[in-house]
Amino acid sequence: MPQNVYVFPEAIIQQMKQYYAGQLQSAPAGALFRAKTANAVITAYKSGKVLFQGKNPAAEAEQWADNTSEVQTKPKKASEKSVYTPPDTLPASSHIGSDEAGTGDYFGPITTAAVFVKKEQIELLKELGVRDSKNLSDASIRQIAQDILKLELPYSLLVLRNDKYNQLQKRGWSQGKMKAMLHHQAISYVLEKINAADSEGTLIDQFCEPSVFKRHIAAENKQLHDKTYFMTKAESASIAVAAASIIARTSFLKEMEQLSQRAGITLPKGASGKVDQAASRLIKSHGQAHLNSYAKTHFANTKKALDRL
Ligand code: MG
């Protein structure tokens, strides 16, 4: 019987348990949970090991493997370099950065931005306060985004709204594949706007192994642009990635406001219990089909919202 073994961080295992909430079976001794899907039997252990066994374990494992870069079959040395590791000089050179927002939020779209920053603009962007958006409040993110846009940097912003997201998901696209295609597309648009020779390379805020990213876009007949690099937490190393994360985040916030207005209730960010509650209200007032335009319906929140009714 084919099987795949991965080691996941605890947070992902908790997410998995939620995700498979409807398909749980009794777990063997020492296991955190066991679930059965059409593809595989999934068993998670306290050590972080997760076993996928059955007809098509790779298909089941893939959706998780794509959503984290920490998945590993054997421990990797932090110092390990590949052709996708950015050269040390990249962050201080003219380069493109890309990042996305909204992937872990039940409500709202995925927004993805790519930005080209010239070497001479790096200092100014730093002065404007451009840095890792995770350390900034929503209000300052919006302010800084306005300042960035005034500089007229070549950038591209893509919004994958919920209807389309759910359609792709039902067609079998993992979220990892959607993200890979969004990054690729946004970067392509920026490259069309600039003289590619002016850029020392492109840095993608890494969300999956580069080989997985390549496979996703290859499935849609795309290939990596020259000098594409990947790095986790890239927004703290690269001002271009930080700018992209701010633009993507600002767009996500705006989209959430518009969606909330349309829904007539404030749609919370994230995927917590508050989210289940809001989804439940939305189903009550508008019907379940309506969720399609507001939420990433394959998240466990949908089931929890229905259970609340
Ligand atoms: Mg990111």
Side-chain angles (χ1 to χ4, degrees):
M1 191 165 50
Q3 71 171 45
N4 294 41
V5 188
Y6 290 92
V7 178
F8 290 91
E10 201 190 327
I12 300 291
I13 294 190
Q14 286 312 322
Q15 272 182 39
M16 294 174 90
K17 194 175 174 185
Q18 273 198 17
Y19 181 84
Y20 294 118
Q23 293 151 297
L24 293 179
Q25 297 195 324
S26 65
L32 291 171
F33 72 87
R34 169 171 279 177
K36 188 171 193 263
T37 70
N39 290 321
V41 173
I42 304 110
T43 314
Y45 294 92
K46 287 188 189 115
S47 62
K49 251 187 206 155
V50 179
L51 207 64
F52 297 82
Q53 297 166 294
K55 248 194 317 195
N56 200 355
E60 198 64 44
E62 187 178 82
Q63 59 174 329
W64 299 103
D66 291 357
N67 282 318
T68 171
S69 51
E70 291 170 62
V71 172
Q72 23 187 268
T73 41
K74 57 174 188 276
K76 233 190 219 173
K77 285 191 223 101
S79 58
E80 212 171 275
K81 286 196 176 172
S82 77
V83 289
Y84 303 112
T85 307
D88 294 340
T89 50
L90 190 70
S93 317
S94 302
H95 68 287
I96 297 172
S98 70
D99 199 7
E100 83 286 324
T103 56
D105 300 271
Y106 177 65
F107 290 117
I110 295 182
T111 56
T112 308
V115 187
F116 176 59
V117 174
K118 279 196 199 143
K119 193 178 167 179
E120 309 82 72
Q121 296 168 314
I122 294 176
E123 271 317 304
L124 175 59
L125 285 167
K126 279 187 187 161
E127 272 167 41
L128 290 177
V130 175
R131 58 193 147 95
D132 184 354
S133 69
K134 285 178 199 79
N135 298 326
L136 295 166
S137 69
D138 286 353
S140 36
I141 286 174
R142 298 182 107 145
Q143 181 55 53
I144 297 167
Q146 273 186 15
D147 293 340
I148 297 176
L149 297 184
K150 276 187 211 136
L151 295 179
E152 298 183 352
L153 303 174
Y155 79 99
S156 164
L157 169 67
L158 300 177
V159 179
L160 178 62
R161 296 206 169 77
N162 297 100
D163 287 301
K164 182 78 195 213
Y165 177 104
N166 292 322
Q167 197 186 325
L168 290 170
Q169 200 272 330
K170 289 196 179 93
R171 230 199 268 165
W173 284 41
S174 64
Q175 197 189 69
K177 179 172 178 181
M178 295 182 215
K179 287 197 270 186
M181 285 304 290
L182 285 164
H183 277 263
H184 181 77
Q185 205 58 263
I187 292 161
S188 304
Y189 289 143
V190 172
L191 282 167
E192 282 169 19
K193 292 182 186 182
I194 66 172
N195 181 355
D198 291 342
S199 173
E200 292 299 319
T202 299
L203 185 56
I204 297 176
D205 185 35
Q206 181 171 337
F207 54 87
C208 66
E209 289 300 325
S211 58
V212 174
F213 188 103
K214 272 171 68 180
R215 201 181 66 224
H216 283 322
I217 64 171
E220 300 302 313
N221 299 316
K222 306 285 181 203
Q223 52 186 37
L224 282 188
H225 298 289
D226 285 347
K227 298 184 286 186
T228 297
Y229 306 103
F230 296 83
M231 184 185 194
T232 54
K233 304 199 173 76
E235 67 276 3
S236 46
S238 150
I239 209 85
V241 176
S245 86
I246 288 172
I247 292 173
R249 181 76 190 161
T250 301
S251 162
F252 178 75
L253 294 172
K254 278 191 196 153
E255 292 283 330
M256 282 295 274
E257 270 178 17
Q258 285 167 10
L259 278 180
S260 292
Q261 243 168 33
R262 238 172 61 202
I265 53 171
T266 303
L267 301 175
K269 299 179 203 97
S272 67
K274 258 169 76 183
V275 167
D276 304 337
Q277 215 176 331
S280 215
R281 282 179 65 191
L282 204 60
I283 295 170
K284 251 184 233 162
S285 57
H286 293 73
Q288 191 186 344
H290 229 75
L291 278 181
N292 249 315
S293 326
Y294 291 93
K296 302 175 185 82
T297 55
H298 67 112
F299 278 32
N301 302 88
T302 300
K303 191 182 174 298
K304 290 193 210 153
L306 288 168
D307 288 348
R308 282 174 157 269
L309 292 176

